[in-house]
């Protein structure tokens, strides 16, 4: 690749301009990426504190700390903040904005003003949803009917806010697709694209095609509540299972909107710290598209106990197993890349390895839930809670933390304390497993989820899970302090501290306002570490 220096002649870092207005009206993709990063990180921390409060309540079998209704309000807040405000926009909007133009050799995204508009739509939707959630709401983040069609909770306002958030997701996805198609530097062929770009492309397709479905669903729910038209409420002639079909047709692809960008992050980190070319480049690239395609076909595996026919259940069970193929392709290729590599255990690499280990557990436990007989027993138990968190936290959030530590020097031009970063990784990894691994056993023993009280026989595992959440919370706190402290340190980040061959590392840290002095010409791929391997389109 033309990975020799493409630094600017007159270096003006994108953080040079000061003042509130410079951020308010910016169309610089890097600054918009930072605004997303700050917003989603804030909601992640708030949702995490709420989770700690819930775990504290679950220390004992009785409702000692909060009432069952307040517990319902807390898990509705936790789920909504985590899903709609943090994980769905998460890596795609923050790191996608910052990295896509830099990685493909472009000065910005295709539609910079639309990009800024997408961020403000995200903020507007967030304000609307938060206003309604704090009234408060107790429907859970899925807003399942018929309860959401009849409760006093302001469901109309919540669903309208989520509807607005969906526009931000759609516009961002469209912007990224056009950028990747039209703004690649000369020589940046599809088979020279960094794998994070392939992952971002697959994610953008999902955002564009899946999000309108949930938007229409929420509009129907608003119409039912406001106009009395029966879509989902049986009392009005509606069908609550129809809501579940619509909801999961979006929400299962949404799982991959959350996880595919993290897979792209892992594909970037591993070859850098293993000092080896990525193994199976094309297989990893096309598996992102494969996951995106299959994700549209598996929604009904969330509904095996809702009364769907045996034939339909069997077909969806088979399709659920099918999604394991492109996922396993990624995992095995990451492992093959690590094999005989000169592995450096930098904190970013530790998060990447943690991702592979924890996501594999999350994926394998998903097989149990895809199997019809096992799912009947495990449905709506703590087994589902553990599986979901091994995928979402063990996967997406581990990838998010890895990305934070890997691209932190490039984002801010500063370095953090590496020893403290490794300590926080250790606490996060250990705390996470102590929190959620016991929940697999709770689920197998029949403990249902979403309850504030439980039989005494479950207390020891519940208490262990709570102790783990404290370790996990401590790890996140230390990581947050370490990264914030790094912003005020005097240690400047070098241009390319890890020796990466990707284009974003060939410009100064932090990057110049216009990214490149002149558009680079790409002549090789990004992963030529160690034994160089030519991959052409």
């Amino acid at each position: 690749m033309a990975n020799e220096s493409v630094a600017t002649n007159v270096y003006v870092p994108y953080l040079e301009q000061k003042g509130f207005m410079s951020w308010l009206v910016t169309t610089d993709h890097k600054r918009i990426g930072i605004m997303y990063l700050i917003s989603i990180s804030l909601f992640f921390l708030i949702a995490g504190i709420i989770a700690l409060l819930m775990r504290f309540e679950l220390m004992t079998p009785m409702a000692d700390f909060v009432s069952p209704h307040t517990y319902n309000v807390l898990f509705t807040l936790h789920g909504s903040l985590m899903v709609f405000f943090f994980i769905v926009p998460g890596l795609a909007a923050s790191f996608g904005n910052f990295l896509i133009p830099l990685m493909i050799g472009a000065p910005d995204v295709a539609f910079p003003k639309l990009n800024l508009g997408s961020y403000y739509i995200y903020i507007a939707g967030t304000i609307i949803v938060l206003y309604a959630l704090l009234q408060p709401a107790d429907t859970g983040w899925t807003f399942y009917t018929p309860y959401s069609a009849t409760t006093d909770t302001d469901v109309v306002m919540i669903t309208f806010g989520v509807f607005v958030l969906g526009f931000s997701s759609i516009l961002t996805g469209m912007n990224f697709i056009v950028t990747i198609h039209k703004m690649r530097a000369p020589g940046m062929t599809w088979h020279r694209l960094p794998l994070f770009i392939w992952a971002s492309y697959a994610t953008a397709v999902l955002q564009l095609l899946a999000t309108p479905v949930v938007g229409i669903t929420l509009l129907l729910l608003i119409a039912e509540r406001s106009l009395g038209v029966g879509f989902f409420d049986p009392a009005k002639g509606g069908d609550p299972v129809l809501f579940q079909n619509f909801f999961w047709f979006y929400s299962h692809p949404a799982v991959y909107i959350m996880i595919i960008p993290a897979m792209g992050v892992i594909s970037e980190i591993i070859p850098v710290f293993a000092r080896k070319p990525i193994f199976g480049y094309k297989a990893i690239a096309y598996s992102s598209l494969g996951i995106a395609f299959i994700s549209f076909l598996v929604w009904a595996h969330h509904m095996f106990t809702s009364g769907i026919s045996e034939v339909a259940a069997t077909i969806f069970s088979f399709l659920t197993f099918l999604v394991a193929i492109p996922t396993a392709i990624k995992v095995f290729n990451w492992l093959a890349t690590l094999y005989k590599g000169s592995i450096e255990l930098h904190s970013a690499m530790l998060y990447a390895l943690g991702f592979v280990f924890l996501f594999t557990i999350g994926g394998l436990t998903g097989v149990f839930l895809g199997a019809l007989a096992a799912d009947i027993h495990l449905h709506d138990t703590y087994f589902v809670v553990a599986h979901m968190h091994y995928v979402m936290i063990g996967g997406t959030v581990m990838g998010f933390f890895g990305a934070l530590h890997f691209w932190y020097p490039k984002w801010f031009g500063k370095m953090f304390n590496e020893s403290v970063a490794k300590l926080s990784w250790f606490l996060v990894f250990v705390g996470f497993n102590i929190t959620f691994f016991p929940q697999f056993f709770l689920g197998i023993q029949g403990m249902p989820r979403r309850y504030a009280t439980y039989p005494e026989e479950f207390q020891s595992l519940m208490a262990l899970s709570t102790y783990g959440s404290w370790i996990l919370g401590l790890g996140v706190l230390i990581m947050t302090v370490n990264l914030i402290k790094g912003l005020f340190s005097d240690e400047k980040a070098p241009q390319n501290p890890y020796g990466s061959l990707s284009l974003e590392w060939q410009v100064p840290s932090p990057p110049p306002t216009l990214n490149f002095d002149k558009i680079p010409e790409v002549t090789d791929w990004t992963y030529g570490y160690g034994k160089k391997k030519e991959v052409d389109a």
Side-chain angles (χ1 to χ4, degrees):
M1 172 174 252
N3 289 351
E4 64 273 13
S5 176
V6 287
T8 56
N9 292 327
V10 180
Y11 172 50
V12 181
Y14 79 99
L15 295 171
E16 181 73 12
Q17 195 175 1
K18 308 294 182 186
F20 183 68
M21 283 302 294
S22 72
W23 288 91
L24 203 62
V25 298
T26 184
T27 55
D28 186 334
H29 66 99
K30 301 178 289 296
R31 284 179 167 239
I32 293 172
I34 281 190
M35 293 195 289
Y36 271 115
L37 182 67
I38 294 172
S39 303
I40 64 170
S41 298
L42 178 65
F43 290 123
F44 169 75
L45 293 175
I46 295 173
I49 291 170
I50 294 171
L52 289 173
L53 295 176
M54 292 164 59
R55 285 300 336 158
F56 186 72
E57 166 54 44
L58 293 170
M59 276 280 287
T60 62
M62 303 307 294
D64 307 310
F65 179 54
V66 297
S67 69
H69 173 71
T70 303
Y71 182 84
N72 291 345
V73 171
L74 287 176
F75 82 66
T76 299
L77 263 175
H78 169 73
S80 300
L81 292 179
M82 276 292 188
V83 172
F84 298 118
F85 299 169
F86 169 62
I87 296 185
V88 169
L91 276 162
S94 57
F95 284 89
N97 255 302
F98 184 78
L99 290 173
I100 288 175
L102 283 167
M103 280 184 157
I104 66 173
D108 207 321
V109 294
F111 306 112
K113 292 181 179 177
L114 184 63
N115 198 25
L116 179 63
S118 300
Y119 174 73
Y120 284 127
I121 292 172
Y122 163 76
I123 292 298
T126 298
I127 292 172
I128 295 170
V129 176
L130 271 180
Y131 170 77
L133 285 175
L134 294 175
Q135 290 195 23
D138 63 351
T139 59
W141 72 272
T142 56
F143 316 121
Y144 267 7
T145 56
Y147 183 67
S148 64
T150 57
T151 177
D152 292 334
T153 294
D154 195 350
V155 173
V156 171
M157 188 64 78
I158 296 174
T159 50
F160 177 67
V162 174
F163 181 77
V164 173
L165 283 171
F167 275 98
S168 172
S169 187
I170 292 169
L171 295 175
T172 299
M174 185 192 70
N175 212 341
F176 287 173
I177 289 173
V178 177
T179 301
I180 295 169
H181 269 277
K182 295 295 184 182
M183 298 188 69
R184 303 193 309 274
M188 180 63 86
T189 62
W190 283 95
H191 289 160
R192 288 178 181 155
L193 281 175
L195 289 165
F196 179 78
I197 300 299
W198 276 97
S200 298
Y201 185 80
T203 304
V205 171
L206 283 174
Q207 289 174 297
L208 199 61
L209 298 182
T211 308
V213 176
V214 76
I216 293 168
T217 308
L218 297 176
L219 277 183
L220 293 178
L221 182 57
I222 291 172
E224 183 167 71
R225 296 267 308 196
S226 305
L227 307 175
V229 183
F231 292 109
F232 310 119
D233 186 356
K236 298 174 182 173
D239 182 357
V241 177
L242 177 64
F243 180 88
Q244 292 191 34
N245 274 290
F246 281 154
F247 180 84
W248 287 113
F249 186 83
Y250 161 76
S251 293
H252 199 81
V255 170
Y256 296 100
I257 290 174
M258 306 171 199
I259 195 68
I260 291 177
M263 292 173 166
V265 168
I266 304 308
S267 299
E268 296 301 323
I269 293 176
I270 285 180
V272 170
F273 293 106
R275 308 311 298 173
K276 276 185 63 185
I278 189 80
F279 187 90
Y281 169 87
K282 290 183 180 178
I284 295 177
Y286 288 117
S287 64
S288 294
L289 299 179
I291 292 172
F293 173 73
I294 297 173
S295 71
F296 282 106
L297 309 176
V298 299
W299 79 91
H301 74 208
H302 295 273
M303 302 163 55
F304 286 156
T305 61
S306 67
I308 65 174
S309 72
E310 291 182 6
V311 174
T314 303
I315 292 172
F316 279 106
S317 177
F318 171 77
L319 291 171
T320 300
F321 295 146
L322 199 62
V323 80
I325 295 175
T327 306
I329 285 173
K330 289 184 183 296
V331 173
F332 283 119
N333 281 296
W334 292 330
L335 295 178
T337 305
L338 291 167
Y339 180 65
K340 290 188 176 180
S342 300
I343 296 172
E344 180 187 351
L345 293 179
H346 186 275
S347 54
M349 184 63 158
L350 289 173
Y351 281 110
L353 297 177
F355 172 98
V356 175
F357 180 77
L358 299 175
F359 180 75
T360 301
I361 293 176
L364 290 176
T365 52
V367 173
F368 290 84
L369 298 171
L372 295 176
D375 186 70
I376 298 298
H377 176 69
L378 297 172
H379 183 79
D380 251 348
T381 69
Y382 261 72
F383 192 94
V384 179
V385 177
H387 160 71
M388 186 178 71
H389 282 83
Y390 266 84
V391 173
M392 295 292 95
I393 306 296
T396 303
V397 176
M398 279 287 175
F400 178 72
F401 290 165
L404 265 180
H405 288 80
F406 184 57
W407 281 292
Y408 181 95
K410 185 57 60 182
W411 274 91
F412 305 108
K414 299 288 184 70
M415 298 299 289
F416 53 84
N417 187 309
E418 177 63 17
S419 298
V420 176
K422 288 180 178 176
L423 171 65
S424 63
W425 169 83
F426 177 78
L427 292 172
V428 167
F429 185 80
V430 172
F432 172 84
N433 281 290
I434 295 177
T435 303
F436 292 104
F437 202 76
Q439 295 180 9
F440 285 122
F441 298 100
L442 284 166
I444 291 171
Q445 293 171 23
M447 173 67 204
R449 59 176 173 165
R450 298 174 180 149
Y451 281 82
T453 60
Y454 54 86
E456 290 186 3
E457 65 196 79
F458 297 126
Q459 185 175 9
S460 56
L461 288 175
M462 280 291 196
L464 180 62
S465 185
T466 299
Y467 297 143
S469 71
W470 296 348
I471 300 172
L472 175 58
L474 178 63
V476 173
L477 176 64
I478 292 174
M479 180 187 68
T480 304
V481 172
N482 187 38
L483 294 179
I484 292 176
K485 189 178 177 184
L487 296 177
F488 300 97
S489 75
D490 295 327
E491 186 180 359
K492 304 284 186 187
Q495 177 174 305
N496 193 357
Y498 313 129
S500 172
L501 298 178
S502 188
L503 266 182
E504 77 275 17
W505 292 104
Q506 313 313 315
V507 297
S509 303
T513 301
L514 297 177
N515 294 349
F516 307 98
D517 184 47
K518 61 179 182 180
I519 299 300
E521 184 170 349
V522 180
T523 58
D524 200 355
W525 72 330
T526 305
Y527 305 103
Y529 304 102
K531 183 181 178 182
K532 192 174 179 182
K533 182 178 178 182
E534 182 74 17
V535 174
D536 282 318

